[in-house]
Amino acid sequence: MKITITVEDPTPEVLEQLLALAAVPAAVVTAVPDERWTPERARTYYERLPPRAQQILLQVVEGGGECGSEQLRAEGRSLRGSTGAFRRVLSEGKRTGVWPDALPLPLVSHLVGGQLKKIEMPGCGTEQYALPAFVAGLREAAGREG
């Protein structure tokens, strides 16, 4: 059984009660910061994306956190409408309570002169870098695609 508790702006009394609950023998408590991707969050995000956006996400993950537009367009594949799904799915998940509001967009598009040049996972070298969580969360999906 898994129980998830989200407490926004907790009072000291609430924190004290939660810590007391966590001290119960055999209790396992893990805290997932609201602004970080986890393998579980990454997997859920992937599963909610449309198929072409799933392919793009896998290409970015397999590319070590970025993928150039020429690779994304390989074999005549279009990018039209695919990249908007990344923001839309995250927003829908936040609105319905699947993800916390502070969770950042895992992919950003880089445009030069109105043309897409690459898609990457921002935050390399920081705790917000989503790549490790997506690598762990999408291992099985990457194996099925390949």
Side-chain angles (χ1 to χ4, degrees), residues 36-109:
R36 295 209 193 120
W37 284 96
T38 65
E40 296 79 21
R41 288 174 177 171
R43 180 67 184 186
T44 302
Y45 180 78
Y46 171 82
E47 290 171 348
R48 290 171 171 256
L49 290 170
R52 180 62 179 130
Q54 287 178 339
Q55 293 170 347
I56 292 170
L57 177 58
L58 287 176
Q59 282 182 268
V60 172
V61 169
E62 291 167 359
E66 69 176 51
C67 191
S69 63
E70 64 283 347
Q71 294 169 292
L72 294 169
R73 289 187 178 101
E75 300 172 18
R77 292 184 165 165
S78 172
L79 296 176
R80 185 173 297 275
S82 300
T83 58
F86 300 122
R87 187 173 302 280
R88 186 183 72 251
V89 166
L90 182 64
S91 295
E92 288 171 2
K94 288 178 178 182
R95 190 173 53 253
T96 59
V98 174
W99 299 296
D101 286 337
L103 197 61
L105 188 64
L107 297 173
V108 295
S109 301

Coordinates of all heavy atoms in Angstrom, one line a residue, residues 36-109:
R36 N 10.6 18.2 -8.4 CA 11.6 17.2 -9.0 C 10.8 16.1 -9.7 O 9.8 15.6 -9.2 CB 12.5 16.7 -7.9 CG 13.4 17.7 -7.4 CD 14.7 17.2 -6.9 NE 15.4 18.2 -6.1 CZ 15.7 18.1 -4.9 NH1 15.5 16.9 -4.3 NH2 16.3 19.0 -4.2
W37 N 11.4 15.7 -10.8 CA 10.8 14.5 -11.5 C 11.4 13.2 -10.8 O 12.5 13.2 -10.3 CB 11.3 14.5 -12.9 CG 10.5 15.5 -13.7 CD1 10.8 16.8 -14.1 CD2 9.2 15.3 -14.3 NE1 9.8 17.4 -14.8 CE2 8.8 16.5 -15.0 CE3 8.3 14.2 -14.3 CZ2 7.6 16.6 -15.6 CZ3 7.1 14.3 -15.0 CH2 6.8 15.5 -15.6
T38 N 10.5 12.2 -10.7 CA 10.9 10.9 -10.2 C 10.7 9.9 -11.3 O 9.9 10.2 -12.3 CB 10.0 10.5 -9.0 OG1 8.7 10.4 -9.4 CG2 10.1 11.5 -7.9
P39 N 11.2 8.7 -11.2 CA 11.0 7.7 -12.3 C 9.5 7.4 -12.4 O 9.0 7.3 -13.5 CB 11.7 6.5 -11.8 CG 12.9 7.0 -11.0 CD 12.3 8.3 -10.3
E40 N 8.7 7.4 -11.3 CA 7.3 7.2 -11.4 C 6.6 8.3 -12.1 O 5.7 8.1 -12.9 CB 6.7 7.0 -10.0 CG 7.2 5.8 -9.3 CD 8.6 6.0 -8.6 OE1 9.0 7.1 -8.4 OE2 9.3 5.0 -8.4
R41 N 6.9 9.5 -11.8 CA 6.3 10.7 -12.4 C 6.7 10.7 -13.9 O 5.8 11.0 -14.8 CB 6.8 12.0 -11.8 CG 6.2 12.2 -10.4 CD 6.8 13.5 -9.8 NE 6.2 13.7 -8.4 CZ 6.7 14.6 -7.6 NH1 7.7 15.4 -7.9 NH2 6.1 14.8 -6.4
A42 N 7.9 10.4 -14.2 CA 8.3 10.3 -15.6 C 7.6 9.3 -16.4 O 7.1 9.5 -17.6 CB 9.8 10.0 -15.7
R43 N 7.4 8.1 -15.8 CA 6.6 7.1 -16.5 C 5.2 7.5 -16.8 O 4.6 7.3 -17.9 CB 6.7 5.8 -15.7 CG 6.0 4.6 -16.3 CD 6.7 4.2 -17.5 NE 5.9 3.1 -18.1 CZ 6.3 2.4 -19.1 NH1 7.4 2.7 -19.7 NH2 5.5 1.5 -19.6
T44 N 4.5 8.1 -15.8 CA 3.2 8.5 -15.9 C 3.1 9.6 -17.0 O 2.1 9.6 -17.8 CB 2.6 9.0 -14.6 OG1 2.7 8.0 -13.6 CG2 1.2 9.5 -14.7
Y45 N 4.0 10.5 -17.0 CA 4.0 11.6 -18.0 C 4.1 11.0 -19.4 O 3.4 11.3 -20.3 CB 5.2 12.5 -17.7 CG 5.4 13.6 -18.7 CD1 4.6 14.8 -18.6 CD2 6.3 13.6 -19.7 CE1 4.7 15.9 -19.4 CE2 6.5 14.7 -20.5 CZ 5.7 15.8 -20.4 OH 5.8 16.9 -21.3
Y46 N 5.1 10.0 -19.6 CA 5.3 9.4 -20.9 C 4.0 8.7 -21.3 O 3.6 8.8 -22.5 CB 6.4 8.4 -20.8 CG 6.5 7.5 -22.0 CD1 7.2 7.9 -23.1 CD2 6.0 6.2 -22.0 CE1 7.4 7.1 -24.2 CE2 6.1 5.4 -23.1 CZ 6.8 5.8 -24.2 OH 6.9 5.0 -25.3
E47 N 3.3 8.0 -20.4 CA 2.1 7.2 -20.8 C 1.0 8.1 -21.2 O 0.1 7.7 -22.0 CB 1.7 6.3 -19.6 CG 2.7 5.2 -19.4 CD 2.4 4.4 -18.1 OE1 1.6 4.9 -17.2 OE2 3.0 3.3 -18.0
R48 N 0.9 9.4 -20.7 CA -0.1 10.3 -21.1 C 0.1 11.1 -22.4 O -0.8 11.7 -22.9 CB -0.3 11.3 -19.9 CG -0.9 10.6 -18.7 CD -0.9 11.6 -17.5 NE -1.7 11.0 -16.4 CZ -2.9 11.4 -16.1 NH1 -3.5 12.4 -16.7 NH2 -3.5 10.8 -15.1
L49 N 1.3 11.0 -22.9 CA 1.7 11.7 -24.1 C 1.1 11.0 -25.4 O 1.0 9.7 -25.3 CB 3.2 11.8 -24.3 CG 3.9 12.7 -23.4 CD1 5.4 12.5 -23.5 CD2 3.6 14.2 -23.7
P50 N 0.8 11.7 -26.4 CA 0.4 11.0 -27.7 C 1.6 10.3 -28.3 O 2.8 10.6 -27.9 CB 0.0 12.2 -28.6 CG 0.3 13.4 -27.9 CD 0.7 13.1 -26.5
P51 N 1.4 9.3 -29.1 CA 2.5 8.4 -29.6 C 3.7 9.2 -30.2 O 4.8 8.8 -29.9 CB 1.8 7.6 -30.7 CG 0.4 7.5 -30.3 CD 0.1 8.8 -29.6
R52 N 3.5 10.2 -31.1 CA 4.6 10.9 -31.7 C 5.4 11.6 -30.6 O 6.6 11.7 -30.6 CB 4.2 11.9 -32.8 CG 5.3 12.6 -33.4 CD 6.3 11.7 -34.1 NE 7.3 12.5 -34.7 CZ 8.6 12.3 -34.6 NH1 9.1 11.2 -33.9 NH2 9.5 13.0 -35.2
A53 N 4.7 12.2 -29.6 CA 5.4 12.9 -28.5 C 6.2 11.9 -27.7 O 7.3 12.2 -27.2 CB 4.4 13.7 -27.7
Q54 N 5.6 10.7 -27.5 CA 6.4 9.6 -26.8 C 7.7 9.3 -27.5 O 8.7 9.2 -26.9 CB 5.5 8.4 -26.7 CG 4.4 8.4 -25.7 CD 3.6 7.2 -25.7 OE1 3.6 6.4 -26.6 NE2 2.9 7.0 -24.6
Q55 N 7.6 9.2 -28.8 CA 8.8 8.9 -29.6 C 9.9 10.0 -29.5 O 11.0 9.7 -29.3 CB 8.5 8.7 -31.1 CG 7.6 7.5 -31.4 CD 7.1 7.5 -32.9 OE1 7.2 8.6 -33.6 NE2 6.6 6.4 -33.3
I56 N 9.4 11.2 -29.5 CA 10.3 12.4 -29.4 C 11.0 12.3 -28.0 O 12.2 12.5 -27.8 CB 9.6 13.7 -29.6 CG1 9.2 13.8 -31.1 CG2 10.5 14.9 -29.2 CD1 8.3 15.0 -31.4
L57 N 10.2 12.1 -26.9 CA 10.7 12.1 -25.6 C 11.8 11.0 -25.5 O 12.8 11.2 -24.9 CB 9.6 11.8 -24.6 CG 10.0 11.7 -23.1 CD1 10.8 12.9 -22.6 CD2 8.8 11.4 -22.2
L58 N 11.5 9.8 -26.0 CA 12.5 8.7 -26.0 C 13.8 9.1 -26.7 O 14.9 8.8 -26.3 CB 11.9 7.4 -26.6 CG 10.9 6.7 -25.7 CD1 10.3 5.5 -26.5 CD2 11.5 6.3 -24.4
Q59 N 13.6 9.8 -27.9 CA 14.8 10.2 -28.6 C 15.7 11.2 -27.8 O 16.9 11.1 -27.8 CB 14.4 10.9 -29.9 CG 14.0 10.0 -31.0 CD 13.7 10.7 -32.3 OE1 12.6 11.0 -32.6 NE2 14.7 10.9 -33.1
V60 N 15.0 12.1 -27.0 CA 15.7 13.0 -26.2 C 16.4 12.3 -25.1 O 17.6 12.5 -24.7 CB 14.8 14.1 -25.6 CG1 15.5 15.0 -24.6 CG2 14.3 15.0 -26.8
V61 N 15.7 11.3 -24.4 CA 16.3 10.6 -23.3 C 17.5 9.8 -23.9 O 18.6 9.7 -23.3 CB 15.3 9.6 -22.7 CG1 15.9 8.7 -21.7 CG2 14.2 10.5 -21.9
E62 N 17.3 9.1 -25.0 CA 18.4 8.3 -25.6 C 19.6 9.2 -26.1 O 20.7 8.7 -26.1 CB 17.9 7.4 -26.7 CG 17.0 6.3 -26.2 CD 16.2 5.6 -27.3 OE1 16.3 6.0 -28.5 OE2 15.4 4.7 -27.0
G63 N 19.3 10.4 -26.3 CA 20.3 11.4 -26.8 C 21.0 12.1 -25.6 O 21.7 13.1 -25.8
G64 N 20.8 11.6 -24.4 CA 21.5 12.2 -23.3 C 20.9 13.5 -22.8 O 21.6 14.3 -22.2
G65 N 19.7 13.7 -23.1 CA 19.0 15.0 -22.7 C 18.8 16.0 -23.7 O 18.2 17.0 -23.5
E66 N 19.2 15.7 -25.0 CA 18.8 16.6 -26.1 C 18.8 15.8 -27.4 O 19.4 14.8 -27.5 CB 19.8 17.8 -26.1 CG 21.2 17.4 -26.6 CD 22.1 18.7 -26.7 OE1 22.1 19.5 -25.8 OE2 22.7 18.8 -27.7
C67 N 18.1 16.4 -28.4 CA 18.0 15.8 -29.7 C 17.8 17.0 -30.7 O 17.0 17.8 -30.5 CB 16.9 14.9 -29.7 SG 16.9 13.8 -31.2
G68 N 18.6 16.9 -31.7 CA 18.6 18.0 -32.8 C 17.4 17.7 -33.7 O 16.9 16.6 -33.8
S69 N 16.9 18.8 -34.3 CA 15.7 18.7 -35.2 C 15.9 17.8 -36.3 O 15.0 17.1 -36.8 CB 15.3 20.1 -35.7 OG 16.3 20.7 -36.5
E70 N 17.1 17.7 -36.9 CA 17.3 16.8 -38.0 C 17.1 15.3 -37.6 O 16.6 14.5 -38.4 CB 18.7 17.0 -38.6 CG 19.9 16.7 -37.7 CD 20.2 17.7 -36.7 OE1 19.7 18.9 -36.8 OE2 21.0 17.4 -35.7
Q71 N 17.5 15.0 -36.4 CA 17.3 13.6 -35.9 C 15.8 13.4 -35.7 O 15.3 12.3 -35.9 CB 18.1 13.4 -34.6 CG 19.6 13.4 -34.8 CD 20.2 13.4 -33.5 OE1 20.2 14.4 -32.7 NE2 20.9 12.3 -33.1
L72 N 15.1 14.4 -35.1 CA 13.7 14.3 -34.8 C 12.9 14.1 -36.1 O 11.8 13.5 -36.1 CB 13.2 15.5 -34.0 CG 13.8 15.6 -32.6 CD1 13.5 17.0 -32.1 CD2 13.3 14.5 -31.7
R73 N 13.4 14.7 -37.2 CA 12.6 14.7 -38.5 C 13.1 13.5 -39.4 O 12.6 13.4 -40.5 CB 12.8 16.0 -39.2 CG 12.1 17.2 -38.6 CD 12.2 18.4 -39.5 NE 11.5 19.5 -39.0 CZ 12.0 20.5 -38.3 NH1 13.3 20.5 -38.1 NH2 11.3 21.5 -37.9
A74 N 14.0 12.7 -38.9 CA 14.5 11.6 -39.7 C 13.4 10.7 -40.2 O 12.3 10.6 -39.6 CB 15.4 10.7 -38.8
E75 N 13.6 10.1 -41.4 CA 12.6 9.3 -42.0 C 11.3 10.0 -42.4 O 10.2 9.4 -42.4 CB 12.3 8.0 -41.2 CG 13.6 7.2 -40.9 CD 13.3 6.1 -39.9 OE1 12.1 5.7 -39.7 OE2 14.3 5.6 -39.4
G76 N 11.4 11.3 -42.6 CA 10.3 12.1 -43.0 C 9.3 12.4 -41.9 O 8.1 12.8 -42.2
R77 N 9.6 12.2 -40.7 CA 8.7 12.4 -39.6 C 8.5 13.9 -39.3 O 9.4 14.7 -39.3 CB 9.2 11.7 -38.3 CG 9.2 10.2 -38.4 CD 9.6 9.7 -37.1 NE 9.2 8.2 -37.1 CZ 9.7 7.4 -36.2 NH1 10.6 7.8 -35.3 NH2 9.4 6.2 -36.2
S78 N 7.2 14.2 -39.1 CA 6.9 15.6 -38.9 C 6.9 15.9 -37.4 O 6.7 15.1 -36.6 CB 5.5 15.9 -39.4 OG 5.0 17.2 -39.0
L79 N 7.2 17.2 -37.1 CA 7.1 17.7 -35.7 C 5.9 18.5 -35.5 O 5.6 19.0 -34.4 CB 8.4 18.5 -35.4 CG 9.7 17.7 -35.4 CD1 10.8 18.7 -35.2 CD2 9.7 16.6 -34.4
R80 N 5.1 18.8 -36.5 CA 3.9 19.6 -36.4 C 3.0 19.1 -35.3 O 2.5 18.0 -35.3 CB 3.2 19.7 -37.7 CG 2.0 20.7 -37.7 CD 1.4 20.9 -39.1 NE 2.3 21.4 -40.0 CZ 2.6 22.7 -40.2 NH1 2.0 23.6 -39.5 NH2 3.4 23.1 -41.2
G81 N 2.8 20.0 -34.3 CA 1.9 19.7 -33.2 C 2.4 18.8 -32.1 O 1.8 18.7 -31.1
S82 N 3.5 18.1 -32.4 CA 4.0 17.2 -31.4 C 4.6 17.8 -30.2 O 4.4 17.3 -29.1 CB 5.1 16.3 -32.1 OG 4.6 15.6 -33.2
T83 N 5.3 18.9 -30.3 CA 6.0 19.5 -29.2 C 5.0 20.2 -28.2 O 5.3 20.3 -27.0 CB 7.1 20.4 -29.6 OG1 6.5 21.5 -30.4 CG2 8.2 19.7 -30.4
G84 N 3.9 20.6 -28.7 CA 2.9 21.2 -27.8 C 2.3 20.3 -26.8 O 1.8 20.7 -25.7
A85 N 2.4 19.0 -27.1 CA 1.8 18.0 -26.2 C 2.6 18.0 -24.8 O 2.0 17.7 -23.8 CB 1.9 16.6 -26.8
F86 N 3.9 18.3 -24.9 CA 4.7 18.2 -23.6 C 4.1 19.2 -22.6 O 3.9 18.8 -21.4 CB 6.1 18.6 -23.9 CG 6.8 17.6 -24.9 CD1 7.3 18.1 -26.1 CD2 6.8 16.2 -24.6 CE1 7.9 17.2 -27.0 CE2 7.3 15.4 -25.5 CZ 7.9 15.8 -26.7
R87 N 3.8 20.4 -23.0 CA 3.3 21.4 -22.0 C 1.8 21.1 -21.7 O 1.4 21.2 -20.5 CB 3.4 22.8 -22.6 CG 3.0 23.9 -21.7 CD 3.2 25.3 -22.3 NE 4.6 25.5 -22.6 CZ 5.6 25.9 -21.8 NH1 5.3 26.0 -20.5 NH2 6.8 26.1 -22.2
R88 N 1.0 20.7 -22.7 CA -0.4 20.4 -22.5 C -0.6 19.2 -21.5 O -1.4 19.3 -20.5 CB -1.1 20.0 -23.8 CG -2.6 19.9 -23.6 CD -3.3 19.5 -25.0 NE -2.9 18.1 -25.3 CZ -2.1 17.7 -26.3 NH1 -1.6 18.6 -27.1 NH2 -1.9 16.4 -26.5
V89 N 0.2 18.1 -21.6 CA 0.0 17.0 -20.7 C 0.4 17.3 -19.3 O -0.2 17.0 -18.3 CB 0.8 15.8 -21.3 CG1 1.0 14.7 -20.3 CG2 0.1 15.2 -22.5
L90 N 1.5 18.1 -19.2 CA 1.9 18.5 -17.8 C 0.9 19.4 -17.2 O 0.5 19.2 -16.0 CB 3.3 19.3 -17.9 CG 3.9 19.7 -16.5 CD1 4.2 18.5 -15.7 CD2 5.1 20.5 -16.7
S91 N 0.3 20.4 -17.9 CA -0.7 21.3 -17.4 C -1.9 20.5 -17.0 O -2.5 20.7 -15.9 CB -1.1 22.3 -18.4 OG 0.0 23.2 -18.7
E92 N -2.4 19.5 -17.8 CA -3.5 18.7 -17.5 C -3.3 17.9 -16.2 O -4.2 17.8 -15.4 CB -3.9 17.8 -18.6 CG -4.5 18.5 -19.8 CD -4.7 17.6 -21.0 OE1 -4.3 16.4 -21.0 OE2 -5.1 18.1 -22.1
G93 N -2.1 17.3 -16.1 CA -1.8 16.6 -14.9 C -1.7 17.4 -13.6 O -2.2 17.0 -12.6
K94 N -1.2 18.6 -13.7 CA -1.2 19.5 -12.6 C -2.7 19.9 -12.2 O -3.0 19.9 -11.0 CB -0.4 20.8 -12.9 CG 1.1 20.5 -12.9 CD 1.8 21.8 -13.3 CE 3.3 21.6 -13.3 NZ 4.0 22.9 -13.6
R95 N -3.5 20.2 -13.2 CA -4.9 20.6 -13.0 C -5.7 19.5 -12.3 O -6.5 19.7 -11.5 CB -5.5 21.0 -14.3 CG -6.9 21.7 -14.1 CD -7.4 22.3 -15.4 NE -7.5 21.3 -16.5 CZ -6.7 21.3 -17.6 NH1 -5.8 22.3 -17.7 NH2 -6.8 20.4 -18.5
T96 N -5.4 18.2 -12.7 CA -6.1 17.1 -12.1 C -5.5 16.5 -10.9 O -6.0 15.5 -10.4 CB -6.4 16.0 -13.2 OG1 -5.1 15.6 -13.7 CG2 -7.2 16.5 -14.3
G97 N -4.4 17.0 -10.4 CA -3.7 16.5 -9.2 C -2.8 15.4 -9.4 O -2.3 14.8 -8.4
V98 N -2.4 15.0 -10.6 CA -1.5 13.9 -10.9 C -0.1 14.4 -10.5 O 0.7 13.6 -9.9 CB -1.5 13.5 -12.4 CG1 -0.4 12.5 -12.7 CG2 -2.9 13.0 -12.7
W99 N 0.3 15.6 -10.8 CA 1.6 16.2 -10.4 C 1.4 17.4 -9.6 O 0.5 18.2 -9.8 CB 2.4 16.5 -11.7 CG 2.6 15.3 -12.5 CD1 3.4 14.2 -12.2 CD2 2.1 15.0 -13.8 NE1 3.3 13.2 -13.2 CE2 2.6 13.7 -14.2 CE3 1.4 15.7 -14.7 CZ2 2.3 13.2 -15.4 CZ3 1.1 15.2 -15.9 CH2 1.5 13.9 -16.3
P100 N 2.4 17.7 -8.8 CA 2.4 19.0 -8.1 C 2.6 20.2 -9.0 O 3.2 20.1 -10.1 CB 3.6 18.9 -7.1 CG 4.5 17.8 -7.7 CD 3.6 16.9 -8.5
D101 N 2.1 21.3 -8.6 CA 2.1 22.6 -9.4 C 3.6 23.0 -9.6 O 3.8 23.7 -10.7 CB 1.4 23.7 -8.7 CG -0.1 23.5 -8.8 OD1 -0.6 22.8 -9.7 OD2 -0.9 24.1 -8.0
A102 N 4.5 22.7 -8.8 CA 5.9 23.2 -8.9 C 6.7 22.3 -9.9 O 7.8 22.7 -10.2 CB 6.5 23.2 -7.5
L103 N 6.2 21.2 -10.4 CA 6.9 20.4 -11.3 C 7.2 21.1 -12.6 O 6.3 21.6 -13.2 CB 6.1 19.1 -11.5 CG 6.9 17.9 -12.1 CD1 8.0 17.5 -11.1 CD2 6.0 16.7 -12.3
P104 N 8.5 21.2 -13.0 CA 8.8 22.0 -14.2 C 8.6 21.2 -15.4 O 8.6 19.9 -15.4 CB 10.3 22.3 -14.0 CG 10.8 21.1 -13.2 CD 9.7 20.7 -12.3
L105 N 8.5 21.9 -16.5 CA 8.4 21.2 -17.8 C 9.7 20.5 -18.1 O 10.8 21.0 -18.0 CB 8.2 22.3 -18.9 CG 7.8 21.9 -20.3 CD1 6.5 21.1 -20.3 CD2 7.8 23.1 -21.3
P106 N 9.6 19.2 -18.5 CA 10.8 18.4 -18.6 C 11.5 18.6 -20.0 O 12.7 18.3 -20.1 CB 10.3 17.0 -18.6 CG 8.9 17.0 -19.1 CD 8.4 18.4 -18.6
L107 N 10.9 19.2 -20.9 CA 11.5 19.4 -22.2 C 11.2 20.8 -22.7 O 10.1 21.4 -22.5 CB 10.9 18.5 -23.3 CG 11.1 17.0 -23.1 CD1 10.3 16.2 -24.1 CD2 12.5 16.6 -23.2
V108 N 12.2 21.4 -23.3 CA 12.1 22.8 -23.9 C 12.6 22.7 -25.3 O 13.5 22.0 -25.7 CB 12.8 23.9 -23.1 CG1 12.2 24.0 -21.7 CG2 14.3 23.6 -23.0
S109 N 11.9 23.5 -26.2 CA 12.3 23.6 -27.6 C 13.1 24.8 -27.8 O 12.9 25.9 -27.2 CB 11.0 23.8 -28.5 OG 10.2 22.7 -28.3

